Amino acid sequence: MICMVVNIDLEKQLRKYFKLTTFRPGQKEIIQDVLDGKDVLGVLPTGSGKSLCYQLPARVMDGLTIVVSPLISLMMDQVKQLKARQFKDVVAINSFMTYEEKQSVFCQLHLYKLIYVSPEQLQQREFISLLQKQNISLFVIDEAHCISQWGHEFRPDYSRLDAIIDRLNDPPVLALSATATEDVQEDIAISLNRPHMVKHVYPTDRNNITFCIKQVNDDQEKMHILKNILSKYKVPVIIYFSSRQATEKVTRILASSLPDKSIASYHGGMDQMERTVIQQQFMNDQIDVICSTSAFGMGIDKPNIRLVIHYHFPLQLEDYIQEVGRAGRDGKSSVSLLLYAKKDEAIPLSLIHKQLPTTDELLTVFNKLYQLYQRQSSIPKKEEDAAALFDLEEIQWRFLHFQLECHGILRDTSIVYHARNWEKAYDSLCNLIEQRLNIKKSKLHDIIRWINDTECLRKQLYRKFQNTYSKPIFSCCSNCGFNFAEWQPDSANKTYKQETWQRRLKHIFHPGDHNEKAE
């Protein structure tokens, strides 16, 4: 059943629930179509307030709004902000919850207006059965580029969402992303079986960000530049790396060289609890500099990040645009600095090959699957265990698992054998892997070409995504004359008091609890 909300004063609701007086570009148009019961695809630049496009409808619509989100930290941050705005009937269902906590939420689903959930959680039969009994007015997919096999952060569980939506009585769908090319937009609509989605696509450029590329000879020169810049500017900074090892090494060197700075590492190999605490400390200006892999930043809505530095450049322009878009969300002057050494080009090429199995590895997987089938065994349910069994990286197994399901070879953890089908699947997968490698290499070539371009960096960066770009409010780019010596950003205003880690965790997991005595 489609739930439509008619004759509503959106500006009034915006003031009432969010204390804001005007909508940002695209927000009102998307919200109006959502309230009219339409399927909508919204592509808005990072920092443009995509979350409001479903948070306001969730307030005024009858029924439940489901938000599929890719990261636990992102869900928890959103819930914390909403509860601070007195939106109490919201919850994030995640792996941090105990069995008892989940059961408590499950028993009270009818009391919530907004539920954040991972795509993996939506594969749980018990949870889906409970949701089927609810009146779901809107199904939201945040970071929707994860649906597309051509997207830069493809997640197989996102590709299963169309079946979930059907099982939930086919509610209207809102898909949101900041970096979706035309190919990705089309793939999102096809994957969701929503060919007639209303598209609201807005330019992705940010006119308050200055682009700067510095060519260097080696890592020693990079460190020299980092120390100079970080010692000069007292602003929140994110530094991106391509490896966990480099992340930790540079963190140690900078922390030793800059004792007045609070510097922390963040990467996927760290404990989830530790990552959550570090993220919250950075959000609260208790950490000055985050040295991170690409694991950090999705959905981070910190307004005063002034510097996003790339120690290594990412695999493609979509990644770069997403990462630099975390700077200057308050509209003030911010800088993206990319440190480029010629030898760095080998790093992303190596990462691309690690993301996909080779033909030899693929053959090994098929042989082991056949051996398991003969023994009437299943594959391990846990992703990391299955990847280890086939001697693959988790990202490789995630890709293969999805494809093997598509070809009917796997049904959950069970193996289905038919010789002819397996031969066709093997040939098809070999072709697909080669195709994806070529696409990824082409995207890598695009970003390397952009880095070495002598024309305006802003103009060249956005040309594949839009026809025009906004005139920069501050300096444009290093090719247009930007110099760090002339940059005077707003400094961070640290007003926090030091807290114990126990108190910090309490605020993270119980953001609505304000009944503590003042210290």
Side-chain angles (χ1 to χ4, degrees):
M1 182 179 69
I2 297 177
C3 302
M4 292 190 290
V5 180
V6 296
N7 299 325
I8 185 171
D9 185 336
L10 290 179
E11 279 78 8
K12 181 179 179 181
Q13 302 301 320
L14 185 68
R15 290 191 297 271
K16 176 180 178 181
Y17 292 119
F18 296 92
K19 313 302 180 189
L20 299 172
T21 56
T22 57
F23 287 100
R24 294 180 182 180
Q27 288 179 326
K28 185 175 181 180
E29 293 81 358
I30 290 173
I31 290 169
Q32 188 61 65
D33 277 342
V34 166
L35 296 181
D36 288 343
K38 298 176 182 177
D39 295 320
V40 180
L41 171 60
V43 181
L44 298 169
T46 51
S48 61
K50 291 187 291 298
S51 58
L52 185 78
C53 296
Y54 58 80
Q55 289 175 355
L56 193 152
R59 282 282 204 173
V60 301
M61 297 175 85
D62 292 330
L64 175 63
T65 294
I66 302 290
V67 181
V68 181
S69 181
L71 292 176
I72 293 175
S73 56
L74 171 56
M75 297 183 209
M76 293 168 63
D77 192 52
Q78 296 271 10
V79 170
K80 179 182 177 182
Q81 292 179 28
L82 286 170
K83 289 193 172 183
R85 295 191 184 108
Q86 304 308 305
F87 192 169
K88 302 298 184 183
D89 37 3
V90 56
V91 68
I93 300 175
N94 58 63
S95 58
F96 274 154
M97 301 173 78
T98 64
Y99 175 81
E100 290 74 19
E101 288 171 332
K102 276 190 179 180
Q103 291 305 309
S104 176
V105 171
F106 289 172
C107 291
Q108 304 178 75
L109 284 180
H110 62 286
L111 299 178
Y112 293 101
K113 294 281 287 178
L114 181 59
I115 293 179
Y116 288 89
V117 64
S118 70
E120 292 78 14
Q121 178 67 43
L122 286 173
Q123 304 303 313
Q124 305 298 317
R125 291 190 181 92
E126 177 194 5
F127 184 50
I128 291 298
S129 296
L130 292 170
L131 286 179
Q132 286 176 317
K133 301 173 184 177
Q134 308 303 315
N135 173 26
I136 298 176
S137 53
L138 181 63
F139 191 95
V140 183
I141 305 163
D142 201 8
E143 309 294 348
H145 51 268
C146 296
I147 295 173
S148 172
Q149 62 176 325
W150 312 122
H152 58 293
E153 289 172 324
F154 173 59
R155 296 262 297 260
D157 278 311
Y158 266 77
S159 297
R160 301 182 177 101
L161 292 179
D162 62 322
I164 300 299
I165 294 167
D166 286 342
R167 292 179 63 187
L168 297 180
N169 300 316
D170 205 29
V173 172
L174 170 61
L176 295 167
S177 176
T179 47
T181 61
E182 288 187 10
D183 288 343
V184 171
Q185 292 169 34
E186 183 179 355
D187 204 23
I188 289 170
I190 291 172
S191 297
L192 290 172
N193 197 23
R194 293 293 195 279
H196 304 298
M197 295 186 87
V198 179
K199 291 185 180 181
H200 292 280
V201 182
Y202 289 82
T204 59
D205 63 308
R206 296 275 304 284
N207 58 8
N208 63 313
I209 297 178
T210 299
F211 299 100
C212 180
I213 292 176
K214 284 188 177 291
Q215 305 250 358
V216 299
N217 294 314
D218 50 32
D219 288 350
Q220 186 175 353
E221 191 174 350
K222 289 184 182 182
M223 288 303 307
H224 178 72
I225 292 171
L226 285 180
K227 290 175 185 177
N228 283 343
I229 288 177
L230 296 180
S231 61
K232 180 178 180 181
Y233 297 110
K234 299 184 183 302
V235 296
V237 180
I238 302 175
I239 308 176
Y240 281 110
F241 301 79
S242 291
S243 75
R244 298 173 183 177
Q245 184 179 10
T247 300
E248 294 181 345
K249 179 182 177 181
V250 172
T251 300
R252 289 193 298 270
I253 294 173
L254 290 177
S256 176
S257 304
L258 304 168
D260 60 325
K261 294 279 187 180
S262 176
I263 302 171
S265 296
Y266 186 108
H267 57 71
M270 297 167 61
D271 178 76
Q272 178 67 59
M273 185 80 73
E274 186 179 5
R275 280 186 287 163
T276 301
V277 172
I278 288 172
Q279 176 177 311
Q280 291 301 318
Q281 287 178 315
F282 183 66
M283 295 293 290
N284 296 333
D285 288 329
Q286 294 169 275
I287 290 177
D288 303 302
V289 181
I290 291 282
C291 294
S292 173
T293 60
S294 60
F296 181 80
M298 185 182 284
I300 297 298
D301 192 20
K302 180 174 172 61
N304 63 338
I305 298 171
R306 292 286 166 259
L307 261 172
V308 172
I309 301 173
H310 282 86
Y311 190 92
H312 299 126
F313 65 89
L315 301 181
Q316 51 196 341
L317 290 172
E318 289 97 321
D319 292 337
Y320 177 78
I321 291 172
Q322 183 104 9
E323 289 166 2
V324 301
R326 286 152 197 160
R329 294 196 171 185
D330 55 6
K332 296 180 180 179
S333 177
S334 304
V335 172
S336 159
L337 170 63
L338 191 152
L339 303 175
Y340 170 75
K342 180 68 177 175
K343 67 178 182 62
D344 291 344
E345 294 181 10
I347 300 173
L349 190 59
S350 173
L351 290 174
I352 286 173
H353 283 287
K354 285 182 179 179
Q355 290 180 350
L356 295 165
T358 65
T359 52
D360 288 342
E361 288 171 329
L362 185 61
L363 186 59
T364 299
V365 168
F366 272 78
N367 286 333
K368 286 188 176 179
L369 282 171
Y370 185 65
Q371 292 169 12
L372 290 171
Y373 171 77
Q374 287 184 312
R375 296 198 300 264
Q376 296 184 330
S377 299
S378 300
I379 62 169
K381 196 166 185 65
K382 283 190 176 181
E383 196 171 81
E384 57 268 31
D385 294 339
L389 173 65
F390 295 106
D391 199 22
L392 295 172
E393 301 285 341
E394 283 186 40
I395 190 171
Q396 293 174 327
W397 172 246
R398 200 176 300 135
F399 164 79
L400 268 188
H401 189 189
F402 174 70
Q403 296 298 330
L404 292 169
E405 283 188 333
C406 290
H407 285 281
I409 293 173
L410 288 181
R411 290 177 186 164
D412 196 13
T413 60
S414 299
I415 302 166
V416 180
Y417 179 72
H418 188 283
R420 193 166 183 181
N421 188 31
W422 279 42
E423 289 174 10
K424 288 174 62 178
Y426 178 79
D427 291 339
S428 175
L429 280 170
C430 285
N431 291 331
L432 179 60
I433 288 169
E434 183 179 4
Q435 183 184 15
R436 288 183 67 82
L437 276 174
N438 289 335
I439 290 172
K440 287 176 178 291
K441 288 177 182 178
S442 175
K443 288 178 176 290
L444 176 59
H445 175 72
D446 286 343
I447 191 169
I448 292 173
R449 183 171 56 192
W450 175 75
I451 289 169
N452 289 282
D453 208 307
T454 56
E455 295 186 36
C456 172
L457 293 173
R458 184 181 303 273
K459 177 181 178 181
Q460 300 303 317
L461 176 63
Y462 293 113
R463 66 180 182 176
K464 280 200 168 185
F465 302 92
Q466 58 202 50
N467 295 325
T468 60
Y469 63 92
S470 304
K471 182 180 178 180
I473 300 175
F474 307 104
S475 297
C476 180
C477 68
S478 50
N479 285 356
C480 293
F482 169 73
N483 191 317
F484 265 104
E486 301 168 359
W487 187 47
Q488 298 294 329
D490 279 9
S491 296
N493 181 25
K494 287 191 177 182
T495 57
Y496 68 87
K497 59 185 177 182
Q498 190 66 34
E499 293 185 304
T500 64
W501 68 267
Q502 291 95 335
R503 280 178 55 84
R504 286 198 294 273
L505 280 180
K506 184 173 183 180
H507 286 307
I508 292 168
F509 292 112
H510 304 283
D513 186 0
H514 301 294
N515 295 324
E516 296 174 314
K517 294 182 179 179
E519 293 182 353

